[in-house]
Amino acid sequence: VGDCGFKNSNSMQSSGFRAVQPETRADRMSKGDKAALEKQRLEQRRGGFYRYEDPGAVTEQTPGTLGYSSERERYQTGAHVELKRNRDEVVRQREERYDFKRDALLQREDERWRQAEDEHLRSHLKDEFAALSSKGSHNHSSVAYDPITVEYHATAEGARQKYEDELAKYRGGVRTEKLHRYSSGDGFNPITGKELPTPAVPPKPHHLPAAAASTRPW
């Protein structure tokens, strides 16, 4: 304080004005802080064998000490971090259960569809085998027409059956007419003297349709 007064007096004598050195914000704040004021007075103390040594911030941990923790580590460690880690683990386990259950349902659905397709395939093969097999054929008609209505089936087998029947009738009629012509002589009954009637020959059937001809086994 004495030094400041000596400097102010010299500056006032030389210039005629009293020049006061401006105080910093830290200086102004330290005047209202008793602890800071005592520290400042201890730093400015002179005399005897006393030497002031600044201990620094005794309540703060410097890098390299055991208690030091950076700002990043302070926010990444602690109770809140442990709680969040536990919560994340609970969420992860729940999602794993959901994924496991979803996969199990998908596999069960795929297995169900596979069994349905296999059952459909077996049923189709069974129907084909039953249609091609001779087992149970005694319950089926051996001709391609209805024995009750005597109508041919509207299939290739029915068309072939109709063609063969008409061809057989035509051949039978031709044979009958030929035998009648050979055995009747001049065409009159030798006992009654009446003219013998000529047997009618059925018309010759048309050609067998291509669809019906393809079903022939030869």
Side-chain angles (χ1 to χ4, degrees), residues 43-110:
E43 292 178 1
Q44 296 176 356
R45 183 177 179 180
R46 297 292 184 270
F49 299 97
Y50 179 79
R51 177 187 296 178
Y52 176 77
E53 295 181 358
D54 187 8
V58 295
T59 58
E60 297 180 3
Q61 299 292 334
T62 58
T65 58
L66 295 177
Y68 175 75
S69 177
S70 63
E71 296 295 331
R72 182 177 181 181
E73 292 176 349
R74 288 176 57 192
Y75 285 99
Q76 289 184 350
T77 57
H80 65 285
V81 178
E82 187 66 23
L83 292 175
K84 186 178 185 305
R85 186 182 296 109
N86 295 337
R87 178 61 180 172
D88 293 342
E89 181 65 20
V90 172
V91 173
R92 186 188 63 81
Q93 294 179 0
R94 184 174 65 241
E95 293 297 330
E96 286 184 355
R97 290 195 300 269
Y98 289 162
D99 294 340
F100 179 79
K101 186 175 180 179
R102 187 183 302 108
D103 295 340
L105 292 177
L106 290 176
Q107 292 180 2
R108 186 172 64 182
E109 186 68 13
D110 293 341

Side-chain angles (χ1 to χ4, degrees), residues 120-141:
H120 177 72
L121 181 59
R122 287 194 298 267
S123 178
H124 181 68
L125 295 177
K126 183 178 179 180
D127 294 340
E128 288 185 352
F129 179 77
L132 299 176
S133 177
S134 60
K135 185 177 181 180
S137 60
H138 58 277
N139 294 327
H140 298 165
S141 177

